[in-house]
């Protein structure tokens, strides 16, 4: 039985309602249990449990140190392509957004990876929009094969595939797959995904199971907070994690905590999740899942990331760019606009005036691609592909590593070696 069947009988909305109505006594009872159930988890994320946040934080901190040690694993996203055939209303790469797009060549991918390696990273997340023409399975396999000798940790965040299509990517050296469900609310999901294969909710929901069957040894899941009620999303992803721990037990599981960020298309979050809610959720996940990795990206601002880190976070990105070529300027000379999935050559239109400013690495410019500026024919100074979203923590990877040390943790750049599988 796949998670879809379990999810269909999950009383998610009623658990979310019970969470809102929970009192202090119910929270105390749930906190006393060594193995909280899903109903206990709903109590732990309740408004009433906010009064227990300090206590939850201390326990979450202790459990995390017992299970993971005093280390924070670092990774970097490397965007291969911002082409996409899906329309997701909250995403800068959405098919109908008139943005500057590019797919990096193999040499450009290697150039980006080399820069990240020089910063110390050994754990890479290859990210791409869903576009079979530009981001084919063959292209992904070539990228993985070219990188895997130098990169002991290679995860993918790309369009969902069949198990048979994942298997060659695992054989080429990819070891992790990250797939956000975006929202577990079927109605909101249908409203948000207006075109493309991503409209199929169930197909996406079963992706981690197909990835596990193909041999990926790390799986990452999450909703994107800001689309539906955050408590419903949290209860749903907790149920999903519980299912994967029971059925895909050979793989390590991570849960990410992404909140919506500004992006091209200027989509505004539909629901609010406060910083305090986020802190409470980190603690609740840790109390429910002592061994699951919790991932915090540069979507959150520096100060908040520093504060959340000791509560239960085990993995962070740092110094991130969300546009292809963001680390070295690779691919800037072949930027183009794609209209409804078809390339419009800049040289054949007023877009030809788009400049080719020097790369961030060349200029020392620390400004990140904003992701919110939709390129227009009136702009003649665009310098990079459009990013997926604005990042909030703009510190360099070295600054983040230094902060981790100052907090008494060890930044871990490499957490796996292929020799360990021999
Ligand atoms: S969220 Fe993913 S699938 Fe949707 S538009 Fe963005 S890159 Fe494409």
């Amino acid at each position: 039985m796949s998670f879809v069947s379990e999810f269909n009988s999950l009383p998610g909305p009623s658990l979310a309602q019970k969470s809102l109505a929970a009192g202090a006594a119910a929270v105390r009872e749930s906190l006393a249990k060594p193995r909280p159930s899903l109903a206990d988890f709903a109590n732990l994320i309740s408004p009433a449990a906010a009064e227990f946040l300090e206590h939850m934080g201390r326990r979450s901190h202790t459990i995390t140190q017992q299970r993971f040690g005093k280390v924070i694993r670092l990774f970097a996203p490397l965007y291969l392509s911002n082409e996409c055939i899906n329309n997701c209303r909250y995403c800068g790469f959405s098919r109908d957004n008139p943005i500057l797009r590019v797919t990096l060549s193999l040499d450009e991918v290697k150039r980006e990876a080399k820069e990240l390696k020089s910063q110390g990273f050994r754990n890479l997340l290859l990210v791409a929009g869903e576009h079979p023409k530009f981001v084919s399975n063959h292209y992904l396999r070539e990228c993985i094969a070219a990188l895997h000798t130098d990169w002991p940790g290679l995860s993918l965040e790309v369009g969902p595939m069949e198990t048979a299509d994942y298997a060659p990517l695992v054989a080429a050296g990819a070891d992790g797959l990250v797939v956000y469900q975006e929202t577990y609310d079927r109605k909101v999901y249908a409203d948000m995904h207006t075109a493309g294969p991503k409209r199929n909710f169930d197909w996406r929901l079963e992706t981690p199971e197909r990835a596990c069957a193909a041999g990926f040894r790390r799986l990452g899941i999450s909703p994107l907070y800001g689309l539906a009620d955050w408590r419903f999303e949290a209860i749903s992803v907790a149920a999903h994690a519980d299912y994967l721990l029971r059925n895909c037990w050979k793989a390590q599981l991570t849960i990410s905590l992404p909140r919506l960020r500004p992006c091209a298309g200027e989509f505004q979050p539909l629901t609010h999740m406060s910083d305090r809610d986020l802190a409470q959720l980190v603690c609740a996940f840790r109390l429910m899942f002592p061994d699951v990795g919790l991932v915090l990206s540069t979507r959150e601002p520096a100060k908040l990331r520093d504060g959340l880190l000791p509560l239960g976070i085990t993995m962070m990105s740092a110094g991130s760019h969300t546009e292809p070529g963001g680390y070295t300027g690779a691919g800037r000379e072949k930027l183009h606009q794609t209209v409804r999935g078809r390339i419009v050559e800049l040289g054949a239109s007023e877009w030809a005036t788009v400049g080719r400013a020097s790369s961030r690495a060349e200029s020392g410019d620390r400004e990140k691609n904003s992701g919110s500026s939709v390129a227009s024919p009136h702009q003649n100074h665009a310098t990079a592909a459009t990013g997926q979203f604005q990042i909030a923590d703009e510190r360099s990877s070295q600054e983040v590593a230094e902060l981790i040390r100052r907090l008494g943790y060890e930044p871990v750049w490499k957490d796996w070696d292929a020799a360990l599988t021999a």
Side-chain angles (χ1 to χ4, degrees):
M1 186 170 78
S2 85
F3 179 62
V4 170
S5 312
E6 276 200 22
F7 181 70
N8 287 341
S9 53
L10 182 76
S14 88
L15 281 173
Q17 283 302 319
K18 280 185 185 159
S19 174
L20 285 177
V27 176
R28 271 195 208 94
E29 205 175 303
S30 294
L31 278 170
K33 293 190 183 167
R35 291 179 64 86
S37 65
L38 198 60
D40 293 316
F41 178 79
N43 288 337
L44 297 178
I45 60 170
S46 67
E51 301 302 317
F52 297 78
L53 187 52
E54 208 178 312
H55 171 75
M56 287 171 67
R58 277 198 302 273
R59 277 186 55 190
S60 174
H61 171 82
T62 303
I63 294 169
T64 308
Q65 291 210 356
Q66 284 168 351
R67 302 297 178 124
F68 293 87
K70 239 184 154 184
V71 299
I72 296 290
R73 292 165 170 79
L74 289 170
F75 74 99
L78 193 169
Y79 279 71
L80 305 173
S81 171
N82 59 356
E83 301 284 357
C84 197
I85 54 171
N86 291 303
N87 262 343
C88 307
R89 287 174 51 198
Y90 49 82
C91 177
F93 294 171
S94 217
R95 185 190 73 179
D96 289 347
N97 279 346
I99 63 167
L100 293 171
R101 301 187 192 256
V102 72
T103 300
L104 300 184
S105 69
L106 204 52
D107 281 344
E108 289 161 349
V109 171
K110 287 196 237 174
R111 194 170 135 202
E112 289 273 286
K114 191 175 169 193
E115 163 60 25
L116 288 167
K117 192 178 173 195
S118 77
Q119 293 180 25
F121 288 108
R122 295 294 181 277
N123 202 353
L124 203 55
L125 176 65
L126 300 179
V127 188
E130 184 169 356
H131 201 304
K133 185 174 152 201
F134 295 101
V135 187
S136 65
N137 294 7
H138 177 73
Y139 168 78
L140 286 173
R141 197 167 62 243
E142 282 200 318
C143 290
I144 295 162
L147 298 177
H148 109 274
T149 321
D150 278 346
W151 291 87
L154 260 187
S155 294
L156 306 178
E157 189 177 343
V158 298
M161 298 177 196
E162 296 283 2
T163 302
D165 292 324
Y166 279 139
L169 305 184
V170 174
D175 67 339
L177 189 96
V178 175
V179 58
Y180 292 171
Q181 185 60 26
E182 318 293 13
T183 173
Y184 287 85
D185 183 315
R186 285 183 185 274
K187 182 175 179 319
V188 176
Y189 190 95
D191 288 347
M192 289 299 106
H193 303 102
T194 55
K198 195 168 172 180
R199 285 180 58 74
N200 189 335
F201 180 99
D202 289 353
W203 161 255
R204 192 167 186 87
L205 197 57
E206 289 176 335
T207 303
E209 294 158 60
R210 295 194 302 276
C212 175
F216 283 104
R217 61 169 203 86
R218 306 195 223 216
L219 300 174
I221 58 171
S222 179
L224 182 55
Y225 296 99
L227 298 178
D229 170 60
W230 76 264
R231 289 189 174 86
F232 169 78
E233 301 284 29
I235 290 164
S236 301
V237 76
H240 199 175
D242 182 58
Y243 173 91
L244 293 173
L245 289 171
R246 281 184 278 118
N247 292 279
C248 300
W249 48 270
K250 281 188 182 170
Q252 292 172 7
L253 186 65
T254 56
I255 300 176
S256 302
L257 298 139
R259 289 192 293 183
L260 261 172
R261 293 285 304 153
C263 66
E266 300 182 356
F267 180 83
Q268 293 299 315
L270 304 176
T271 58
H272 178 66
M273 179 194 207
S274 71
D275 293 351
R276 199 174 164 86
D277 295 336
L278 184 59
Q280 189 178 342
L281 183 57
V282 169
C283 300
F285 276 139
R286 178 56 66 228
L287 298 184
M288 174 95 179
F289 302 113
D291 297 311
V292 167
L294 295 179
V295 185
L296 193 63
S297 78
T298 52
R299 285 173 180 268
E300 299 300 338
K303 202 168 163 201
L304 181 61
R305 293 223 301 167
D306 299 352
L308 292 175
L309 188 152
L311 290 184
I313 300 301
T314 58
M315 199 168 178
M316 294 173 100
S317 51
S320 304
H321 277 269
T322 70
E323 76 277 23
Y327 300 104
T328 65
R332 286 185 180 178
E333 63 286 353
K334 56 183 187 185
L335 292 174
H336 57 264
Q337 190 191 11
T338 306
V339 177
R340 297 180 72 81
R342 289 174 49 205
I343 288 180
V344 176
E345 295 294 346
L346 295 182
S349 73
E350 63 264 67
W351 288 76
T353 53
V354 170
R356 295 177 189 174
S358 56
S359 72
R360 171 177 174 243
E362 288 159 354
S363 67
D365 179 5
R366 299 216 36 221
E367 194 175 296
K368 308 280 179 159
N369 187 312
S370 75
S372 66
S373 58
V374 180
S376 87
H378 305 297
Q379 288 176 301
N380 63 359
H381 57 276
T383 59
T386 306
Q388 190 176 27
F389 55 85
Q390 282 181 16
I391 65 161
D393 183 350
E394 296 203 339
R395 292 174 297 186
S396 70
S397 53
Q398 300 309 318
E399 287 171 316
V400 173
E402 184 47 40
L403 183 277
I404 290 170
R405 279 189 211 98
R406 276 212 304 278
L407 291 175
Y409 289 75
E410 186 191 344
V412 173
W413 304 86
K414 174 183 174 181
D415 64 351
W416 183 254
D417 194 293
L420 296 173
T421 55

